[in-house]
Amino acid sequence: MKIVKKFLLLVCFSCVGYGLARLLSTDEAQEKLFGILGEDTYLAVLDKVRLLGDLLGWPIHFVKALLP
């Protein structure tokens, strides 16, 4: 039962990270963040969010690859 809870928690965090990465990939969100943060900070944050989305989104991609 403990393993199932940990797996569900990992899936939830994966969904949140994937959703955040998808949200920040829109042009409107990128323009607003660029205006607020400035170029250097914006690019550093964007790289970290994309990496976090990839790391947390691997279970989603793994399950999608298994489905027919």
Side-chain angles (χ1 to χ4, degrees):
M1 193 67 168
K2 219 175 189 185
I3 295 172
V4 173
K5 287 182 182 180
K6 286 183 181 180
F7 180 72
L8 289 176
L9 185 64
L10 180 66
V11 169
C12 289
F13 281 132
S14 299
C15 291
V16 169
Y18 183 74
L20 185 61
R22 294 287 290 192
L23 177 66
L24 289 178
S25 66
T26 61
D27 291 335
E28 186 177 324
Q30 288 180 359
E31 288 178 17
K32 286 181 182 179
L33 283 175
F34 187 78
I36 293 170
L37 298 175
E39 184 176 0
D40 293 335
T41 309
Y42 167 74
L43 293 175
V45 168
L46 187 62
D47 287 340
K48 289 177 182 160
V49 168
R50 286 182 179 166
L51 177 63
L52 182 65
D54 288 340
L55 290 175
L56 294 177
W58 74 264
I60 295 171
H61 298 298
F62 181 73
V63 171
K64 282 183 180 180
L66 292 178
L67 296 175

